[in-house]
Amino acid sequence: MSLRLTNTLGGKVEELAPLEPGHVRMYSCGPTVYGPSHVGNFRAFLLGDLVKRYLEWSGYRVTWVMNITDVDDRIIRDLAAAGETLDELTAPHIARFLKDLGDLRIGPPTVLSRATEHIPEMAELVQTLIEKGHAYRADDGSIFFRISTWPAYGTLARLDPQQARVGERVAADDYGKDDARDFALWKGPKAGEPSWDTVVGPGRPGWHVECSAMSMAHLGPSFDIHSGGVDLVFPHHEDEIAQSEAATGQPFVGTWLHCAHLQMAGSKMARSVGNIERVSSLLERGVSARALRYVLIAVHYRAALNYADASLTAAGSAIERLDALFAALAAYREDRPDDPRLADLMAGTRTGFEAALDDDLNIAPALAVLFDFIREVNRRIDARTLSTADAGIVTSFLHDLDRVLGIGPDSVEEGLAPDLELLLEARAAARTARNWAESDRLRDELAQHGIVVEDTRDGQRWRRAD
Ligand SMILES: [Zn+2]
């Protein structure tokens, strides 16, 4: 495998070389649960999902961690207004987020990490930064990272360190710091705000330190990929690098992966702009989740994606073509020799698909290769040049490519129930042992469960009975 990705750190396209051979460790900045996530947020989560799926398809083991920020300034602002506990306020948003993840067939991540469950790790990280002289305490118990101790600050975002953090964001973090550029690691306790008693005293974590502590808790001090929306490059990810590397003395992340904004009527989709569209409301209006997934992955992650109803319609018809082919293959019966050129067609498709995705997840040519294949198979179905066994082989091949894309019909995602899987394995073993009576008996038993088994040159294939 030679997946090349655009690393925001340095701005070059680089080959991914996992620190541990065969195992990629990735962290994606997840939602802040003070309201429902919108479609724009899910574009960034789908980038992580595509990386994970593609790496797994390429034979890698992937540990994918995503955080759920369930305490931060905005949540606390809403908390005061709502008169609820932190859990009461965030629980419905977390449930909705998990539902949306499932509907869009994202992950699930190997670990979904909640900020409020990692407060001790965050406090310990802050403590280490104090001990190493990178952080200081203000009168109200807040603790700041001292940027003047970290000359590399601004490398990711390519900022002049002297200029960094001058502007509107300063006020939000301003609890009495020495330098306007310094950022809050820890916020001192305030009446009416949630507070934890920790090694650095009472209070609550700053947002940036949450991601550093949670990623390192699950993935170690150095890991391979960190992803998020492009708006997180500065200050969030810049701050993550500074505080993590200052604490551990080790490089934090190999590849920083950022996805461009989703545009809605010419401006970034954002709660603050007020032009958001939610996954759940789209689905309630009858939009297919698979079409929505298709729209959100079909444009290269670094290109701005213009969200419009027109793209949903186009995605819907692409998905219909895929479904129609699956249906045609399932119904196809032709007692004739196998198509001698089918193997070459599939090999060429696979090579083209892989070459496109290896090239910085270049999704458009990968989808073009898939739809060229679909067109060619439809031609062969019409010309009846495929055998019944060929149709099964093509179905399996499409299922395999769809492990990366996740846009196929529902049955693609559903494997066999474990008990039926065992029957299928037993039948394969019986055939290897040339025990035809047992093989036939197992075929009948599977048929009683609605599973049709066919024997091909490549072994047995199964499909659900019509
Ligand atoms: Zn983050």
Side-chain angles (χ1 to χ4, degrees):
M1 199 266 310
S2 52
L3 173 58
R4 296 177 302 284
L5 294 168
T6 301
N7 190 350
T8 307
L9 187 61
K12 295 197 178 68
V13 181
E14 296 168 353
E15 189 161 322
L16 179 69
L19 291 167
E20 183 190 323
H23 180 198
V24 175
R25 286 170 293 158
M26 172 168 71
Y27 183 88
S28 298
C29 286
T32 299
V33 284
Y34 71 106
S37 298
H38 59 74
V39 173
N41 303 132
F42 281 94
R43 188 182 187 205
F45 308 147
L46 277 161
L47 169 60
D49 181 64
L50 184 63
V51 171
K52 173 180 182 280
R53 283 171 176 265
Y54 184 58
L55 287 170
E56 286 180 342
W57 185 79
S58 304
Y60 278 78
R61 180 180 150 219
V62 179
T63 302
W64 183 27
V65 178
M66 183 187 283
N67 67 296
I68 293 179
T69 294
D70 56 355
V71 56
D72 92 329
D73 287 346
R74 291 165 295 183
I75 293 173
I76 285 166
R77 180 199 64 202
D78 288 2
L79 204 55
E84 290 174 315
T85 67
L86 199 58
D87 276 343
E88 283 166 352
L89 182 79
T90 59
H93 299 310
I94 292 173
R96 166 53 63 194
F97 170 69
L98 297 178
K99 170 83 168 58
D100 290 347
L101 275 191
D103 284 342
L104 289 177
R105 298 176 172 180
I106 296 173
T110 323
V111 179
L112 272 167
S113 178
R114 284 178 66 164
T116 51
E117 290 169 358
H118 292 80
I119 304 287
E121 290 96 322
M122 295 166 196
E124 274 159 32
L125 179 60
V126 174
Q127 178 64 25
T128 304
L129 289 168
I130 293 174
E131 285 164 8
K132 293 194 169 184
H134 293 291
Y136 60 94
R137 200 181 287 273
D139 291 342
D140 69 346
S142 293
I143 300 166
F144 293 93
F145 186 89
R146 193 185 297 281
I147 287 193
S148 61
T149 68
W150 195 251
Y153 192 83
T155 306
L156 180 74
R158 282 175 265 179
L159 298 172
D160 172 355
Q162 295 307 314
Q163 299 300 316
R165 195 177 287 280
V166 175
E168 56 183 333
R169 278 191 169 267
V170 172
D173 276 346
D174 202 348
Y175 280 61
K177 47 193 172 181
D178 291 358
D179 182 326
R181 297 175 303 147
D182 294 348
F183 61 90
L185 295 163
W186 190 259
K187 304 201 175 184
K190 275 189 168 181
E193 288 191 355
S195 175
W196 286 264
D197 285 317
T198 69
V199 288
V200 292
R204 62 182 173 91
W207 173 41
H208 312 306
V209 87
E210 293 186 1
C211 280
S212 283
M214 284 190 278
S215 58
M216 294 197 289
H218 294 287
L219 298 172
S222 298
F223 55 93
D224 303 304
I225 300 175
H226 192 129
S227 78
V230 69
D231 52 327
L232 298 184
V233 173
F234 183 82
H236 186 51
H237 290 162
E238 195 70 60
D239 291 355
E240 280 192 48
I241 295 174
Q243 67 208 0
S244 304
E245 297 192 353
T248 67
Q250 295 178 53
F252 180 42
V253 168
T255 302
W256 285 90
L257 211 53
H258 291 103
C259 126
H261 290 308
L262 183 68
Q263 307 268 334
M264 181 79 158
S267 42
K268 170 192 169 190
M269 187 182 283
R271 270 182 272 207
S272 55
V273 181
N275 60 350
I276 61 169
E277 191 70 87
R278 288 171 186 152
V279 173
S280 55
S281 24
L282 279 171
L283 301 190
E284 278 157 21
R285 297 208 305 265
V287 168
S288 129
R290 290 157 61 204
L292 182 56
R293 179 180 167 94
Y294 187 99
V295 165
L296 294 173
I297 65 170
V299 169
H300 190 268
Y301 68 94
R302 299 184 65 237
L305 167 56
N306 257 306
Y307 177 86
D309 290 346
S311 46
L312 269 176
T313 310
S317 51
I319 292 216
E320 276 167 25
R321 266 192 285 162
L322 189 58
D323 286 2
L325 179 57
F326 272 109
L329 289 166
Y332 188 86
R333 301 285 180 281
E334 193 63 54
D335 186 13
R336 54 162 293 132
D338 295 339
D339 184 331
R341 290 165 307 150
L342 183 61
D344 279 350
L345 177 67
M346 289 190 300
T349 300
R350 191 183 168 95
T351 303
F353 184 77
E354 203 165 7
L357 290 171
D358 273 347
D359 179 19
D360 199 20
L361 298 172
N362 204 353
I363 188 80
L367 289 169
V369 163
L370 170 67
F371 282 94
D372 284 348
F373 177 77
I374 290 174
R375 201 171 306 119
E376 183 54 38
V377 171
N378 277 321
R379 201 171 289 149
R380 292 178 192 207
I381 287 175
D382 292 344
R384 313 297 292 175
T385 62
L386 301 177
S387 68
T388 306
D390 286 336
I393 289 166
V394 169
T395 302
S396 300
F397 178 70
L398 287 169
H399 286 182
D400 186 51
L401 297 187
D402 197 55
R403 284 166 54 210
V404 179
L405 301 171
I407 56 171
D410 282 333
S411 57
V412 176
E413 298 277 303
E414 291 167 16
L416 271 185
D419 53 333
L420 299 181
E421 195 77 65
L422 284 175
L423 288 180
L424 211 56
E425 281 170 25
R427 183 169 182 274
R431 290 186 68 76
T432 307
R434 308 183 76 79
N435 184 346
W436 310 123
E438 177 65 0
S439 152
D440 289 348
R441 192 191 67 75
L442 288 163
R443 181 208 295 265
D444 293 345
E445 193 173 341
L446 282 156
Q448 282 165 19
H449 290 94
I451 301 301
V452 178
V453 186
E454 282 153 8
D455 296 304
T456 75
R457 285 178 305 181
D458 298 333
Q460 60 184 6
R461 304 271 175 203
W462 67 272
R463 62 180 174 83
R464 294 184 204 283
D466 303 327

